[in-house]
Amino acid sequence: MEWDSGNAAWMLTSASLVLLMTPGLALFYGGMSRAKSVLNMMMMSFGAMGVVGVVYVLWGWSMSYAPDASVGGIFANPFAQFGLSGAIFDETGEFIEGLGAYPQVIDIAFQVTFAIITVALISGALAERVKFSAWLVFTAIWVTLSYFPMAHMVWGGGLLSGAEGSIAAGIFGTTDGEANTAPIDFAGGTVVHINAGIAALVLALIIGKRKGFGTVPMRPHNLTLTMLGAGLLWFGWFGFNAGSAFAADGVAGWAWVNTTTATAAAMLGWLVVEKLRDGHATSLGAASGIVAGLVAVTPAAGSINPVGAIFLGAISGVCCAFAVSLKYKFGFDDSLDVVGVHLVGGLVGTVLIGFLAVDGSVFFSEGAFGFGGFDQLIIQVVIAVVALIFSGVITWVIAAFIKAVMGWRVSDDVESAGIDLAEHGESAYEGITAGRLIKEGN
Amino acid sequence: MKLVTGIIQPHRLDDVKAALEAAGIRGMTVSEASGYGRQRGHTEVYRGAEYTVDLVPKVRIEVLVDSETASTVTDVIVQAAQTGKIGDGKVWVVPVEDVARVRTGEHGAGAL
């Protein structure tokens, strides 16, 4: 087998870029938390890297992509390729081919990084109050019961794909085994952002608010970290979106351009809202607008034109800028606005594809501005709603289970004093101390 | 002996230090401080949520001098720290009973 080394090189690079997003997210979230809890905030991202990095190899890939092992179109048999057996080499000992004429093991590398960042995204809703052990247990269960099935449903030929037996095939019929109108989720609007966003909302409701939420100031302690994190997220997102072309080709370049265009427009959209509403265009607003744009363009990166990306980005920036204040109206503590940015941004991007996709959408069904192709819009709304319900219910059950079995929250005293010292035995920044070394090493 | 304490805007520190050196004052102690005066603090907005920040950052400078020099020091600090805007700070003088130099153990004016 002659492998396409250009594709292979790009996809290994993409996998590495996506992996970099999670430490970037740790900086983004860490800067927004308070100084006394920043290490715990970062450790939740790193903890997700640890747990998911192991679980994915054991049964994650199998549940998402094992061939001919689908259970009702919802997930694949976790034991079909347990431990990646039969997923790397074929019977003759040759590498199995992946999506882009390179060994499939590169696809595995790419996909594990998506699972890691998706779980880590959720942690922003849980800042400064959750036991680290409860978070790690949640990570293992949630990625198994919510992420892997969602990846199978959308990308693995399951219910939310365009394959035979999918919801889209049921609504619109099939031609040659493919739905006549297939849902579009290029790089994870449903699997990553709606999935993580609704999970964040459910967890924030079940776990409850931080002590003093709404009265005690909970300002970001270091916006330079947040800006650095947002920059790393943008950089890593090129692997996320352009890598989802599974080739070093024109589609990858197209996704790259749309990703940057939408993100730039979203940042401007968020800043305009802030300037008009609050009087200042803030650095936190720029960082937040960047993430909102990246989120919204994720499902759309390979199906809209660059002018469409400007619309999509600007709309998502404006919507998310308004959405983040909803938590105060409804009184739930989504601490770092995972719902306002990822759920709302994910929904905006997923649904706007129905208007902006260059082939078959409302505006582009019969040439430019044809106004008539509502099928794409319908199926985009359907997959968004199914993703919301599926992930919402699963997350609710897992969260209630953990609450009953081990409890989510640290004690009130620990929460007040800051979670870093109690949970990790460390503090991020040194003040005046009178400590001394009592033991060298162990 | 007197202790002159000034609470000033952080960005005036370099000018105050230079002015005191020019006036022949040889030592000072500087620490970060925060607080508020009549103007109270200011508001900051993060993602649309508004926070009142009552305690604003200031710099506290302390200069230990003999009684005759204290008013000069006070005037130099006021002059160098002044911007004319609200929040410029305060300077006050208190009497000091005794002072000791740690290195030599000597007391009183000789230790200044």
Side-chain angles (χ1 to χ4, degrees):
Chain A
M1 176 78 199
E2 274 293 308
W3 301 118
D4 186 322
S5 59
N7 285 355
W10 168 237
M11 291 309 294
L12 281 169
T13 305
S14 290
S16 309
L17 284 169
V18 180
L19 191 69
L20 181 67
M21 290 168 72
T22 302
L25 183 78
L27 290 169
F28 181 70
Y29 280 171
M32 278 192 280
S33 61
R34 286 176 288 178
K36 60 187 178 180
S37 301
V38 52
L39 292 178
N40 176 258
M41 193 69 250
M42 293 182 153
M43 277 296 283
M44 288 207 272
S45 285
F46 280 78
M49 294 176 91
V51 172
V52 180
V54 171
V55 165
Y56 197 86
V57 163
L58 294 179
W59 61 81
W61 169 265
S62 184
M63 282 186 74
S64 307
Y65 299 109
D68 306 320
S70 185
V71 179
I74 297 174
F75 62 91
N77 180 356
F79 304 106
Q81 295 189 328
F82 187 87
L84 300 181
S85 63
I88 300 176
F89 302 107
D90 62 19
E91 307 81 42
T92 64
E94 295 295 317
F95 281 108
I96 294 171
E97 186 180 348
L99 291 169
Y102 48 72
Q104 178 172 267
V105 69
I106 294 175
D107 284 331
I108 295 169
F110 187 58
Q111 293 298 337
V112 62
T113 61
F114 277 59
I116 288 170
I117 182 84
T118 304
V119 181
L121 288 174
I122 301 170
S123 66
L126 312 178
E128 309 181 329
R129 61 195 186 279
V130 165
K131 290 181 203 165
F132 189 57
S133 55
W135 167 248
L136 294 185
V137 170
F138 171 80
T139 293
I141 301 177
W142 187 86
V143 80
T144 301
L145 299 183
S146 189
Y147 182 84
F148 300 150
M150 198 79 88
H152 178 73
M153 283 193 276
V154 176
W155 296 325
L159 284 179
L160 300 181
S161 69
E164 199 143 20
S166 66
I167 294 173
I171 297 175
F172 301 113
T174 56
T175 307
D176 299 332
E178 285 289 319
N180 290 327
T181 302
I184 298 172
D185 186 355
F186 190 70
T190 47
V191 182
V192 177
H193 298 293
I194 294 176
N195 200 2
I198 187 69
L201 176 60
V202 168
L203 289 180
L205 291 172
I206 288 188
I207 292 167
K209 300 175 232 187
R210 283 169 290 179
K211 285 171 65 67
F213 176 73
T215 52
V216 175
M218 292 172 176
R219 292 185 293 153
H221 89 285
N222 189 337
L223 287 173
T224 49
L225 290 186
T226 297
M227 295 292 272
L228 178 60
L232 283 175
L233 281 170
W234 193 337
F235 181 59
W237 226 287
F238 291 130
F240 209 81
N241 287 2
S244 289
F246 299 104
D249 63 3
V251 178
W254 186 20
W256 197 108
V257 170
N258 283 335
T259 298
T260 294
T261 309
T263 303
M267 176 170 65
L268 295 179
W270 191 302
L271 292 178
V272 167
V273 169
E274 280 194 335
K275 181 67 185 169
L276 295 177
R277 183 184 62 187
D278 312 322
H280 295 96
T282 68
S283 61
L284 181 60
S288 311
I290 285 169
V291 178
L294 291 165
V295 168
V297 78
T298 292
S303 62
I304 58 176
N305 65 37
V307 177
I310 294 175
F311 279 109
L312 181 139
I315 292 169
S316 69
V318 169
C319 287
C320 293
F322 283 112
V324 293
S325 51
L326 291 178
K327 65 180 179 184
Y328 298 106
K329 285 206 177 72
F330 294 118
F332 64 91
D333 184 6
D334 167 24
S335 316
L336 310 181
D337 299 310
V338 187
V339 179
V341 175
H342 292 276
L343 180 58
V344 173
L347 286 170
V348 166
T350 299
V351 172
L352 280 182
I353 291 169
F355 291 95
L356 297 171
V358 290
D359 188 17
S361 66
V362 173
F363 290 162
F364 294 99
S365 56
E366 297 151 17
F369 300 101
F371 295 105
F374 285 92
D375 288 1
Q376 192 68 52
L377 180 60
I378 290 166
I379 195 61
Q380 294 304 121
V381 172
V382 167
I383 63 165
V385 170
V386 173
L388 275 176
I389 295 170
F390 179 84
S391 178
V393 171
I394 295 279
T395 308
W396 195 282
V397 172
I398 299 169
F401 171 76
I402 289 177
K403 189 174 188 177
V405 171
M406 60 189 299
W408 275 102
R409 307 275 299 235
V410 295
S411 71
D412 287 358
D413 287 347
V414 165
E415 202 183 315
S416 300
I419 195 167
D420 284 356
L421 202 54
E423 284 288 296
H424 306 290
E426 298 170 304
S427 49
Y429 306 101
E430 197 164 343
I432 295 170
T433 57
R436 63 195 171 90
L437 185 66
I438 50 176
K439 191 177 174 189
E440 283 187 24
N442 264 319
Chain B
M1 289 167 293
K2 305 278 187 188
L3 174 65
V4 184
T5 303
I7 303 291
I8 63 167
Q9 302 262 40
H11 66 94
R12 302 306 302 166
L13 176 62
D14 283 342
D15 288 327
V16 170
K17 186 163 157 288
L20 285 171
E21 274 169 12
I25 309 299
R26 289 186 300 174
M28 71 189 300
T29 304
V30 176
S31 46
E32 289 181 15
S34 57
Y36 60 87
R38 249 181 287 178
Q39 89 280 10
R40 305 292 294 190
H42 60 266
T43 56
E44 294 176 13
V45 181
Y46 295 94
R47 284 183 170 167
E50 203 167 316
Y51 295 94
T52 304
V53 181
D54 275 340
L55 301 175
V56 292
K58 297 284 172 190
V59 162
R60 175 193 190 98
I61 52 180
E62 290 166 304
V63 186
L64 203 49
V65 288
D66 56 61
S67 301
E68 299 78 57
T69 320
S71 65
T72 311
V73 171
T74 306
D75 293 344
V76 168
I77 294 174
V78 167
Q79 208 169 16
Q82 201 169 64
T83 69
K85 296 198 183 107
I86 207 153
D88 268 356
K90 298 267 190 299
V91 183
W92 62 86
V93 182
V94 291
V96 173
E97 274 186 20
D98 190 17
V99 55
R101 175 172 281 136
V102 175
R103 176 168 55 86
T104 60
E106 62 194 304
H107 281 250
L112 284 174

